[in-house]
Each structure stands twice: as structure tokens, then as C-alpha cells.
Amino acid sequence: LLQGIVLFTFTAALSILRPKPCSDSSLCEGPSEFQYAILILAMGLGSIGAAGTRFTMGTMGANQLDNPKHQENFFNWFLFTWNTASIIAATAIVYVQDDVSWAWGFGICVAANVLGLIIFLAGRRFYRNVKPQGSPFKSLACVIIAAISKRKLQLSAKAQDYHNEIIGDEGKQPVA
């Protein structure tokens, strides 16, 4: 993600990575293949970085805690922080990009990502490394096969026929 944002910052800051501005008397000149390649690389790296982290950060963070109540609190604060950052990105960063410059807007994003990376790496020795157990593809295949094989079954009206329980401090408690 950081590499993609850095490349976006370069495309905004360096004139060699942007097409020439249009003049009033002539047709606009399009971007070169090199400029397209850098832009597509920036979008690709940003997308891969976001896809690889966005959906796993919350669960990986909560996995550092043993108590389900603490995990619940972690998710609450994680989602609050995530949404607050989204609001800031949709307002303050866009304001900077529109009224100051695109380079400054992307530069702020780079600085925030570098700060986050530094904090992450500084605390790395304290993190619990959970070893993977089995193949995730096997579990995914089992779910797909079960869903296909049970697609024509009638749904039960009884709550005990479904697996929806919370594991608390005093053991398993069914949720009605």
C-alpha cells in the first residue's frame, strides 16, 4: 500500500510523470506509455496492499487478546478508528488535494502510512505469532461443498439446529 501511495505522490509531484497541460489553441496531448505504466503500477500496488491488509487487520489485532470481552472492545475501537480515518480521508485529505495540491494530499497519506509502519515495527517483538493450522483452502472447499450439497434442504425454525453461540468466560452459552 505504501509503495502505491508513494508512486501516486510522485505522479502528482513530478511533471515528467504527468501529461503536459492543455493549451487553449491546440489539442491536449495524452499521457505517454511510461506515464500510463507508472499510474497503473501505483493503482495495482495500492490495490494489492489494501486488499492484503484491510480485511485482516481487525482479526489479526483481536487475535492478540485472549479474553472475548477484550476482543469485542478491540473491534469496537478498531472500527471507530477505521471509520474516523475514513472521514478524515474523505474530507481533510480531499480538501488539501483540491485547495493546496495533489502532491501535498498524497504526501500526507505517505507520512501517515510511514508513521503507522514505524509503530507497527516498533511493537513487533510484543506480538503473538499464531501458527497457521491446516490449509485455509481445505476449509473453504468444505464450506462450498456443504453449501452446494445442502442447497435444497428446508430451513428449520428451531434455534438449536443452528450454530450460533458465544464462548464466554463461563463456557458456551447459546444465543437465542
Side-chain angles (χ1 to χ4, degrees), residues 6-166:
V6 168
L7 279 179
F8 273 127
T9 307
F10 286 157
T11 61
L14 303 175
S15 60
I16 194 170
L17 296 177
R18 290 189 315 268
K20 294 179 184 171
C22 297
S23 63
D24 294 335
S25 61
S26 68
L27 295 174
C28 293
E29 189 177 314
S32 68
E33 288 184 16
F34 174 71
Q35 292 167 339
Y36 265 131
I38 295 297
L39 182 62
I40 290 171
L41 182 63
M43 288 190 294
L45 289 173
S47 297
I48 291 169
T53 58
R54 181 163 294 159
F55 302 106
T56 58
M57 281 191 303
T59 54
M60 289 175 67
N63 201 22
Q64 299 296 309
L65 306 168
D66 291 325
N67 186 335
K69 185 67 176 167
H70 293 161
Q71 290 176 341
E72 181 180 326
N73 287 337
F74 173 84
F75 273 114
N76 289 339
W77 281 107
F78 173 77
L79 291 174
F80 173 78
T81 306
W82 187 273
N83 289 320
T84 303
S86 297
I87 290 169
I88 291 169
T91 55
I93 299 298
V94 171
Y95 174 80
V96 169
Q97 289 175 333
D98 283 347
D99 291 351
V100 179
S101 78
W102 280 87
W104 272 100
F106 284 128
I108 292 169
C109 295
V110 168
N113 273 274
V114 168
L115 178 64
L117 180 62
I118 290 169
I119 292 169
F120 172 75
L121 293 176
R124 187 174 172 193
R125 62 187 168 147
F126 300 109
Y127 298 146
R128 179 189 319 174
N129 293 320
V130 179
K131 303 288 184 211
Q133 299 174 355
S135 170
F137 300 111
K138 179 182 176 188
S139 299
L140 183 62
C142 288
V143 169
I144 292 170
I145 291 169
I148 291 171
S149 65
K150 296 179 180 185
R151 71 184 180 278
K152 293 184 180 182
L153 290 178
Q154 293 286 35
L155 295 178
S156 173
K158 294 185 272 181
Q160 63 266 26
D161 289 342
Y162 298 101
H163 178 75
N164 39 334
E165 53 191 12
I166 298 174

